[in-house]
Amino acid sequence: MAAHGALSSSLSDVSPLSVTPSELPPTPPPTSTAVSKSPLDSKPSSPSLLHPSTCPEDLLPLAVFYGPVDARNPLLASCEKEIRELLGFMKKKKALATTEKQKHEFRRRCAISLFDIWTKYAPRLPADYYNEKLLKVGDSLCQMKEYKLALLQCYGRYLQQFSTDFDENKADVNQFKTVFFPKGFGDKTAGLTFHALSGRNMCNYQLVCDSDVNLKNKESVTQCLHILSSLRLIMQALDYLLWASICMESSVPLLSIRYLTWRATLYTAVCQCYYDCQAGIHGEAFARRALAKIDELRQLELMSSSRSQEESRRYYREATIKLPWPRTITERLLEEMFDNTASQFLAVLEALSDSNRRILQTGPVVTDEVEIRDVVSELFIAGKDLLIISNTGANGMLNFPKTSLLELIVERKNVISMDAAVKFVKLAFTYEEWSLFESSAGHLIYFLQDALPDKEIVVDMIMFLWQKCKLGIQRFHTSRNDYAKFTQKISTNKWVYLLWQINEVILCYKMEDIDIVVVSEVTIRLSEILESLGNPKRKFRTSQDIILRKGTDEFFGTPKGISEILPILKVLAHRGGYWTLLQNCCRAFWNFTQEVQILIQQAVDLYKTFPISQDAFLCTSVLPFSLGAELLIDMLIQLQNTNSIKSLEDKGEFSVPSCYGNIKNDNGGFSLTFEHPLDDVNVVDLKWIHDFVLKSLEVLYQVEKWETLVSLAIQFNIISHERYTEQVTPLLVYGQRQLLLRIQKFEGPDITQQPCANYEAKYGEKITCRNFIGKQLMIDSPNDKFTAAESCTDFLKMLVNSEYNRAKELVCVPVDVTDTLRCFRETLEKSKYHNRSIRHSRKLLLLFLAQTQGDKGGISHSKSTSGKVEFCLETEEMHMPTPPDLSQEHFRVFGSVEKSRLSHSQLGLVISSYYQTIDVLQASNQRSLKVQALHSLGNLLVFADKKRAAYKCWCQALDDIFRTPNVLHTWKELGTSITHATSSSSPSGFKDYSEEFLSKVGIWGCLQGAVISAKIAQFIKTLKVTKRTSCCILSALLFQGLLRTTLPHPKAERCYAQYEITQLLPGIELFSDRFRADLGSVVASLYYVIRELHFAKQNLIVLPLLALYQYFVSVICQDLVRNLEARILKIEILIDLGFFSEAFNEIAHIFYGKNMPSSVSAGCKATGKNKILQSFDTGKPLNSKENVQALDELISKGLPLILGTVGHQHLINKFYFIKAHFFLSVAATINCVPENTMKSFYHGDVTEKNKPNLSNVKDQNPKEERGSIFQLAKIKDDISLGMLKAILLTEAEDRLNFLVSEIENTGHKNLSQCSAGELETVVEARLQLAAIALQRHRAAYSAAIIFSTLKLLQDSKLFKKKIVHDDKENPPSSPETSASENRADNEFLDPISLNSREYFNIHLWLRCRLVLVTAFVAQIRGIGIMKENDMTDCVSLINEVCMEAKAAEDIELQAEFLMQAVILGLQEKHLKADIITKLQDIIHLLERNEFLSPRSWLTLARSLVLLDDLTKAEKFKDSPSSKAEKVNLLAQAHNILIEQMLTFGETIEYPLSNTEYANPLQPLKNIYLPHVMLLAKIKMRIGHTMAKQVYNNSRRKSSFKWLPALHLFEMALKLCKISAKEEHEVEAEILFQKGKIERQIIMEDKSPTLQFESLLDAIQLSLKNDQNSGFSFMTMLADTYVSTLDILANIYHSQVSDAVLAVNLLIGKKNARTDKVNQMALPNIPEFATVDLLSSYTDYLLDNYQVVFQTCYTCLYQNDDMCDNTDSGNKTLAKVDITWILLLRYYIHLQRINNMSKLLVMSRQFHTLRFISKAPCQPVLHRDDVIRYGNASFKQGTVLSMSSSPLNCDQNDLSEAIAIVVP
């Protein structure tokens, strides 16, 4: 019959498809318009069945377009994925199609889907790949018995390429070859063609059998004859045996090891035919080819197969020995020259041996002659076969005689001795015949347990190790004086350990071959180290254990070869009884598999390729899992036998006692308290062993290793006394049933003849599932007898076949299902209902979570599109909310042991189950499990968007944890009693909540409560800041409870600034049970709490949490990225706290790569010797040599190596942020205006107009990291603070501008379209840039930056709600639109965006508003040109933001806004009553809160001081002679600062008397704290008040009464002088007050000599301050300073003062008010003055949220033409004339604001006069209390002001000085 006819007749039977062979590819037939599509049909990538011509595949790019045609090619990967999904779908759903209609529909759908795949990919795939894939899919379909589909869509498609006019009934073999093999049999496609032809015939035959199995129809007989005709032609086309061999090699299913026996038989037959035909050379060549093919298969099997090694060896051994000798010339010579195996093997050894080669000096034979290399290879092949053939016993195992090889040769024996075999394996190692070595060594290793290695090997090994060790020991340097440090160093040094082992080997072997010099060096080195130890033997044994553990952990940290290494280690650890090492091996493998599975899942989710598939991974890991589990169980048995671990129940009817107890001990989960023995991990971790065994059972089930599964399940049930029978026994029963089916399939012996039954018959004891452990089962020898006359080849063949079949026929485990079910039901009756209930709910939860894996969160609702309804073929398994009754379950089908995932629609079922379980747990008094169930239920309810119900569950869980109602609102009452601080590290009023919480609820109660509190804050309390912060503080205190355990962790929060946790809870596995403490949830919640508290400025309480978080992510999780994130966040927090030393050290740690996770590869660590950064010392001034050098080195440092290696851009950006933040914060402690002169000197030719800013910085910095342009090291000897401030600000500003420009250059047309991560970068950079502008006294520019940032936040797409269109009014969106919407939705769901979105909260908004208000308040108003009613806008803005903070219930920021209103009121002379009211509001808001942030404590203290000042000022105004002045407010502020300084780490000296005041002990650890200067001001105020009280109340003359006040002034002066933030006017004020006290003491003591050192110092300091650049003003206590000292010296050539206007008016000069400043003097006006006088924030605003800074100089002195030619992109400021009077008013306004830094009360009792002149003169102080200055004199008590009366002196003679009028 013709091929065309055969194909067309077969294809015509397929309905509804009709395929024409001549069409390539065939087109689909017309179908009805209504098409029901399965999930496979509805893939977007599939072409439409209705309109195939609308998307021609030939127009799409070919596979080569995407890169190399390999597994990574996306087109090939997509094709493979679709085929895999289709085949998987067919396997899964075929069994569900039972009726003929269902089968027809099933096959129709499968045919359409496969047709679509071929149609889509055929034109685009390479021909060879496409053809091979056709045949592979056809083979798979044949295995599923889908012969028609395989024939039509696979084999038939392949054969369509050949002639369709060929009739197999009429053609001869030559025609057949011409048609199907035009290029001959040597062509690479010949094998595929044979494959297709044979597959076609097989399918045709199977189709005949399916329709007419008995061949009753004539058509069936005819069809069979046609098939035979085709087979006849194929057979004639090739020699039969060769054809059969090639067919086997070309068939993928037949290439498996399962068919190796038949394959070897074919090879043997071919070789034998060649020998029979006298063509031995050809036979040898074919034999070598066969060996190569078998070796190829072995190499593949080693990489992927999970088959046991011994089973594999048996197959390969059989295949190898079948091939007859001789196969090579070498084998022929050996056979001709020697008559027995022993002599032949000796000849091989002698031929390979070389006296010049040492065993460990490996390498192939060194020769250029190819023939010699071939002979060496043939010798090794011959030797291997001789060894296997001669020494394989009847049982298939190797056996060795006890006689020597020489004796065997003499006796002419065909067997080889052990020593000869070992020598042969060593030679294989020497010649690097690795394949031979690995296979042979695996056989011999079991016979060499007690053998010692050759001395030659030992000597070479020692010499090699000594060369390595010698270098390591030479680098071993440490202090020999510190014994503890030295001991620790030895304990962790691998070279010391190696040195010890080398010495031990030398002593044990007593080898003379080792160089005596080496022996001496080893001994000397070791003796030198040991002599340094007090007790070398005991200490060194301890160090050995430490090194062993550490070395094992480090070794297991590398995944390379771990699955191969760990079993050859597990066995050794088990045999040696090294139980800790055994557990570490298994745990290392456990961790490795977890990481690999995560990587595989990530690759699947991202459609990426991975080196190993899930199936291959399972096959690779099954042996290590099963072996490890069995060894662990045996370990438990041995530990119980030696009483090393306690048994909870005697063995009873089980084989062994149980350390697990029984099912009565199980409550379904873990308690929140310590549970013995599961929580006791000192010897063994029983819970982890339980998890490991269950995981092993899961893997065995997946790869269908039923016998091993049954054995392991029975053993674990026995050791646990069936405590976990509900999880284990279903698998056990199912495995037993599968073994029974296997016995039946292979026609094995009846159950009564299996090994278990034989044991019972022999010993009279039945083996059951409860006594299986300890029973030694024997397998009888086979009954087959082989006569000696049979050939060796036939004998081995029959032997191997027999053994293979017997292995499948016999089982060595109990398979009595009835008995197993009886035991199962018996144990179930003992279980507790709440145990089953909680386990059932958790099972439902896990099944539901499995469905959500890969989803982006939230509940997905079904959607209908385009009027079509999509159906899912899967049927959901029915579940009940209550646990099922398993007592009647028989576990016959896989559905009874393997549950499918729950869909989203089943969420209500899971919630209902948890509600019922909670009721059961409540009734059973299971408080701990109830808490965990409530926690899980709350999670589910949040997922279901039922937040109120979730809140109720979580609150109830908290109440149950503490056993107290309403804990969330009353937890502050649970603190311990107040501790009274003296000089301790805890402040007065300190409560250690954490210690109390730990004692009440335990460690797991703390964890549960902390996570629940954090979730309430995160998901429930989303709108109210105070309540959310309170929840976070509760969570933080609960987390800190983990630091109150037995280990001596610090209690003071400040101590964690540099503290690293290396060990948390020794002997306790904190995360052993995921429902009690889930590591992922704990880490996520802890990080949320840290960030939320940081946003709320609760930075001090965060420090212990950061240490805990770093321990979790670094020590436990080994997560480098999260470690770096936490470190960067910690640096930011330390900077905010003013801990600059600690922050600097943390930055240095990142540069060094210090304390990073240990599992990181070497490429991710900072390698090499790094230059140690000079540390920054907060105890020294900023301009000290050390600190300037530290800043210089930090500025010059580039990007840390570890950040560059990790390569996460968001981490790099954050590092740059904290670096800029450090410079900015340090610069803020410099109380002066940054110098502008250094800009051109150090920065190059950059004018102020072209200064880098937000819009023109794009071309300033290159992409790569560079060092600073500044070189502080060259100028640090004479650097001024103003210059240093400018350098720091510029360095920070440049980096921030560069980061912003990077975002702007990414292609966004509008910044509002930035992603979450990009927007976070822009906003954070602009906030810092605004702070920089404020430090440069560009308040309007700072306000403009924040104003544009707020507008950007309002317009950002992140906060735009999507508009939902009505489907009736709007047509459905197109696929393109839907795709873009999905991309937009997913844009914010990556980890970086999710992390960034938490940044955009109410804290950020209010923070921006606070910066905006601060900038508005800082700008000097009412002097220059008024724009847009600035004053009203500022007041309105403050009122508005106060309402925002109040609405958000953020009382701390509400207080900050009120403080800004107070400052504005003082500057603008608002009513004092209103200011006092605002201060009282601030105090009322803050003083009632126990957990204030450090910032708010400062605000409270300042408010108290300011209220005291204003109150006393009002009293003085009403009654100047009032004597009743109290210090209550000042004392309260003083106590706050003392306690805060104590909290911040300073040592406090407390007085013995209540009338005295505490003082910080000097030298201070941190002079940069703002508390220092404020404390000095408070002490000055208290001293002044006390002095007035003494003066008013005491009438007796005694100097002692002034001493308390004098002491306060002295302490205030010390604090003022050491403070990093210099305020010379405050220092002068303190000196003045101190001088007055000293004057009173001198007067009352009637000292003959007057000493006025303090007064003179005050005068000199004021003069120096005014004449230099140190004079500054402070806007009250908000620390915003503006310098005015150079206004008079640098602005004017003829200086002006307050008297200028009065003098000009007196002499009749009427135009003084309109006199303009000379054009030559304009450039000397300070920048901040021009900004205040001439600009508003609106002047800097541009489009697209841009802000530009341009100084006012250009329009001050340039002509009109120049103004017109300015850059059109910038706003041009209007030209303004500045008059002298305008400058004078500005100066007077600055003076008034500056006076706020002094005592307001004292400012009414004395005044300061400033005189301006070209010729300064010195004041003279006389004893008559008259201050003379030039020709003027002033009596004491005189009060003068600047506007009093004309002065009797000429303007030209006036000089600047200070006239102090003493009261």
Side-chain angles (χ1 to χ4, degrees), residues 157 167 411 441 451 531 536 759 848 915 954 1075 1289 1392 1649 1656:
R157 270 182 177 266
D167 189 347
E411 298 176 5
E531 286 175 0
Y759 182 92
F848 179 77
Y915 271 120
W954 284 339
F1075 292 98
L1289 293 179
I1392 296 177
T1649 305
L1656 291 174

Side-chain angles (χ1 to χ4, degrees), residues 1735-1770:
S1735 67
S1736 173
Y1737 75 96
T1738 56
D1739 297 326
Y1740 306 107
L1741 299 176
L1742 298 177
D1743 296 334
N1744 194 22
Y1745 316 101
Q1746 295 295 312
V1747 185
V1748 64
F1749 180 78
Q1750 183 176 2
T1751 62
C1752 306
Y1753 295 128
T1754 54
C1755 289
L1756 282 176
Y1757 60 86
Q1758 65 189 5
N1759 56 37
D1760 294 337
D1761 294 336
M1762 292 176 63
C1763 288
D1764 294 337
N1765 294 330
T1766 55
D1767 186 3
S1768 60
N1770 298 338

Side-chain angles (χ1 to χ4, degrees), residues 1501-1673:
R1502 288 170 177 150
S1503 301
L1504 291 168
V1505 173
L1506 191 52
L1507 181 61
D1508 182 81
D1509 283 348
L1510 292 175
T1511 304
K1512 291 177 180 178
E1514 286 296 304
K1515 290 181 179 179
F1516 182 83
K1517 178 180 178 182
D1518 298 336
S1519 177
S1521 61
S1522 175
K1523 301 179 180 179
E1525 291 193 8
K1526 298 182 179 179
V1527 294
N1528 294 343
L1529 295 176
L1530 293 175
Q1532 187 178 349
H1534 187 277
N1535 291 338
I1536 289 174
L1537 290 182
I1538 288 295
E1539 292 183 4
Q1540 282 293 293
M1541 293 186 73
L1542 180 63
T1543 304
F1544 274 58
E1546 299 295 341
T1547 304
I1548 303 300
E1549 183 180 5
Y1550 286 87
L1552 299 177
S1553 172
N1554 292 333
T1555 60
E1556 299 178 358
Y1557 293 87
N1559 296 301
L1561 196 63
Q1562 297 187 23
L1564 297 181
K1565 300 182 182 70
N1566 191 349
I1567 64 175
Y1568 295 82
L1569 294 176
H1571 308 70
V1572 180
M1573 182 57 71
L1574 183 56
L1575 184 61
K1577 296 175 182 178
I1578 293 175
K1579 286 184 176 291
M1580 178 181 68
R1581 284 167 164 80
I1582 295 175
H1584 176 70
T1585 303
M1586 290 178 63
K1588 289 182 62 177
Q1589 290 174 350
V1590 171
Y1591 180 80
N1592 293 328
N1593 298 333
S1594 178
R1595 292 291 179 245
R1596 65 184 182 88
K1597 293 184 178 181
S1598 173
S1599 61
F1600 294 103
K1601 61 187 178 183
W1602 299 101
L1603 294 181
L1606 181 62
H1607 180 65
L1608 282 168
F1609 285 125
E1610 290 174 345
M1611 289 306 303
L1613 183 62
K1614 289 182 180 180
L1615 292 173
C1616 188
K1617 286 185 176 181
I1618 65 175
S1619 174
K1621 199 162 190 177
E1622 297 177 348
E1623 294 189 33
H1624 295 297
E1625 284 203 339
V1626 176
E1627 184 180 348
E1629 200 70 57
I1630 296 172
L1631 284 169
F1632 173 68
Q1633 296 294 328
K1634 180 171 174 285
K1636 290 197 300 181
I1637 297 295
E1638 292 173 346
R1639 175 180 176 277
Q1640 291 293 336
I1641 293 175
I1642 293 172
M1643 290 178 61
E1644 293 189 4
D1645 286 348
K1646 296 183 178 180
S1647 174
T1649 305
L1650 286 177
Q1651 297 180 0
F1652 296 102
E1653 286 83 359
S1654 296
L1655 290 173
L1656 291 174
D1657 290 344
I1659 294 172
Q1660 295 295 333
L1661 182 60
S1662 296
L1663 285 171
K1664 178 182 177 182
N1665 184 47
D1666 283 351
Q1667 292 171 357
N1668 297 319
S1669 60
F1671 178 69
S1672 62
F1673 78 85

Side-chain angles (χ1 to χ4, degrees), residues 512-521:
E512 299 80 7
D513 298 335
I514 300 181
D515 189 352
I516 189 64
V517 177
V518 173
V519 177
S520 303
E521 282 187 314

Side-chain angles (χ1 to χ4, degrees), residues 1054-1065:
R1054 185 248 178 267
C1055 296
Y1056 287 89
Q1058 290 279 266
Y1059 186 75
E1060 298 275 350
I1061 301 175
T1062 57
Q1063 193 175 25
L1064 187 61
L1065 296 167

Side-chain angles (χ1 to χ4, degrees), residues 1737-1847:
Y1737 75 96
T1738 56
D1739 297 326
Y1740 306 107
L1741 299 176
L1742 298 177
D1743 296 334
N1744 194 22
Y1745 316 101
Q1746 295 295 312
V1747 185
V1748 64
F1749 180 78
Q1750 183 176 2
T1751 62
C1752 306
Y1753 295 128
T1754 54
C1755 289
L1756 282 176
Y1757 60 86
Q1758 65 189 5
N1759 56 37
D1760 294 337
D1761 294 336
M1762 292 176 63
C1763 288
D1764 294 337
N1765 294 330
T1766 55
D1767 186 3
S1768 60
N1770 298 338
K1771 288 189 176 181
T1772 303
L1773 301 179
K1775 183 178 179 181
V1776 179
D1777 294 328
I1778 297 182
T1779 64
W1780 285 108
I1781 296 304
L1782 187 61
L1783 283 177
L1784 280 174
R1785 287 177 177 170
Y1786 180 68
Y1787 169 58
I1788 294 170
H1789 196 70
L1790 291 181
Q1791 273 194 319
R1792 180 169 55 80
I1793 295 176
N1794 179 58
N1795 285 336
M1796 290 194 303
S1797 66
K1798 303 177 183 178
L1799 286 171
L1800 297 183
V1801 178
M1802 292 159 44
S1803 65
R1804 294 191 173 272
Q1805 302 174 30
F1806 68 92
H1807 287 270
T1808 300
L1809 297 182
R1810 287 177 172 81
F1811 301 93
I1812 314 302
S1813 176
K1814 296 180 180 178
C1817 60
Q1818 295 296 328
V1820 180
L1821 185 63
H1822 295 281
R1823 291 188 59 184
D1824 57 1
D1825 298 332
V1826 175
I1827 298 179
R1828 298 187 182 277
Y1829 192 86
N1831 297 327
S1833 63
F1834 307 95
K1835 294 288 291 184
Q1836 66 175 3
T1838 306
V1839 178
L1840 301 177
S1841 67
M1842 288 179 262
S1843 60
S1844 55
S1845 59
L1847 300 177

Side-chain angles (χ1 to χ4, degrees), residues 1380-1596:
S1380 63
E1381 289 178 355
N1382 290 335
R1383 286 195 297 270
D1385 291 340
N1386 296 335
E1387 181 180 358
F1388 303 130
L1389 297 180
D1390 61 281
I1392 296 177
S1393 296
L1394 287 174
N1395 202 20
S1396 296
R1397 287 189 71 129
E1398 292 187 4
Y1399 172 79
F1400 300 103
N1401 51 29
I1402 187 61
H1403 295 293
L1404 175 65
W1405 177 260
L1406 293 178
R1407 176 187 170 195
C1408 292
R1409 302 284 271 175
L1410 178 61
V1411 176
L1412 181 65
V1413 169
T1414 304
F1416 274 131
V1417 172
Q1419 189 174 12
I1420 307 300
R1421 291 175 175 79
I1423 302 300
I1425 300 173
M1426 298 292 293
K1427 295 187 178 181
E1428 302 179 2
N1429 200 4
D1430 285 349
M1431 283 297 303
T1432 306
D1433 286 350
C1434 189
V1435 174
S1436 301
L1437 175 63
I1438 293 177
N1439 293 332
E1440 180 182 332
V1441 296
C1442 281
M1443 294 304 298
E1444 290 179 0
K1446 185 176 182 180
E1449 292 188 8
D1450 192 339
I1451 61 171
E1452 294 198 6
L1453 270 182
Q1454 190 179 350
E1456 294 296 327
F1457 289 130
L1458 287 173
M1459 176 57 77
Q1460 292 299 317
V1462 168
I1463 296 171
L1464 182 66
L1466 290 170
Q1467 292 178 184
E1468 305 300 338
K1469 296 184 178 179
H1470 293 178
L1471 292 176
K1472 289 186 179 178
D1474 294 341
I1475 298 176
I1476 290 175
T1477 300
K1478 289 184 173 62
L1479 288 171
Q1480 291 172 341
D1481 291 341
I1482 294 174
I1483 296 171
H1484 178 70
L1485 283 171
L1486 299 180
E1487 66 180 356
R1488 61 186 179 182
N1489 191 351
E1490 177 183 355
F1491 292 95
L1492 282 181
S1493 67
R1495 177 185 65 179
S1496 292
W1497 279 117
L1498 276 176
T1499 301
L1500 178 58
R1502 288 170 177 150
S1503 301
L1504 291 168
V1505 173
L1506 191 52
L1507 181 61
D1508 182 81
D1509 283 348
L1510 292 175
T1511 304
K1512 291 177 180 178
E1514 286 296 304
K1515 290 181 179 179
F1516 182 83
K1517 178 180 178 182
D1518 298 336
S1519 177
S1521 61
S1522 175
K1523 301 179 180 179
E1525 291 193 8
K1526 298 182 179 179
V1527 294
N1528 294 343
L1529 295 176
L1530 293 175
Q1532 187 178 349
H1534 187 277
N1535 291 338
I1536 289 174
L1537 290 182
I1538 288 295
E1539 292 183 4
Q1540 282 293 293
M1541 293 186 73
L1542 180 63
T1543 304
F1544 274 58
E1546 299 295 341
T1547 304
I1548 303 300
E1549 183 180 5
Y1550 286 87
L1552 299 177
S1553 172
N1554 292 333
T1555 60
E1556 299 178 358
Y1557 293 87
N1559 296 301
L1561 196 63
Q1562 297 187 23
L1564 297 181
K1565 300 182 182 70
N1566 191 349
I1567 64 175
Y1568 295 82
L1569 294 176
H1571 308 70
V1572 180
M1573 182 57 71
L1574 183 56
L1575 184 61
K1577 296 175 182 178
I1578 293 175
K1579 286 184 176 291
M1580 178 181 68
R1581 284 167 164 80
I1582 295 175
H1584 176 70
T1585 303
M1586 290 178 63
K1588 289 182 62 177
Q1589 290 174 350
V1590 171
Y1591 180 80
N1592 293 328
N1593 298 333
S1594 178
R1595 292 291 179 245
R1596 65 184 182 88

Side-chain angles (χ1 to χ4, degrees), residues 420-443:
V422 171
K423 185 175 182 180
F424 178 71
V425 172
K426 290 178 181 179
L427 288 170
F429 180 86
T430 302
Y431 284 94
E432 295 185 350
E433 295 285 341
W434 302 125
S435 177
L436 173 61
F437 171 76
E438 291 173 1
S439 60
S440 302
H443 293 294

